[in-house]
Amino acid sequence: LFFLVSLAPASWLAWAVNQKSGVAVSLTRTQGTIWSGEGRLGILARPTRSIDLGLVKWRLSPWQLLTGAINLSISAKSSSSRITTDVTLRRGQIQLANTSIQFPAQLAKEFYAPAALIAPSGRIHIKNDNWTMKPDGIEGEIELLWRSASSALLGNQPLGDYRLVAT
């Protein structure tokens, strides 16, 4: 049994991600094992629009499973976006640590339709050191940076850099 579990193919993780997300997240063309592998990551932004986040690599810690936690290190890279984070799932708790998500501001309209009205440009960078969501609240902070901000609504004039910190 140990041998079978230690060599479980990455396609098993892809199946679980695709099923549990309700097709909102897709993991395809996988290689490796559920413990250490890679594949193509996609997110369904709207019912008719999927965004390819590029090659994703992961490492799942088998030792954390003994404590009842799932600890997953993730990195994804496409031509315009980058994601790195450590995710820990415990009963009733989600923790994100060492997170860095960078993408063109133009992608905002894919996830938030009103953003299409201002047609933002520049780069968005979301980062955190340690953020935890529990049934009784959220701990930690997340920082959002909008660099080289501009908007078609304002004639694409440079607006500078903006920073928002949520605690």
Side-chain angles (χ1 to χ4, degrees), residues 97-110:
N98 308 313
T99 302
S100 176
I101 303 170
Q102 299 177 46
F103 58 92
Q106 294 88 330
L107 277 182
K109 69 179 184 237
E110 302 296 341

Side-chain angles (χ1 to χ4, degrees), residues 65-84:
L65 293 175
L66 298 174
T67 67
I70 297 173
N71 182 264
L72 189 62
S73 294
I74 302 169
S75 66
K77 182 170 42 168
S78 73
S79 60
S80 62
S81 304
R82 291 188 180 3
I83 300 170
T84 58

Side-chain angles (χ1 to χ4, degrees), residues 150-158:
S150 67
S151 166
L153 187 64
L154 300 172
N156 285 323
Q157 295 295 319

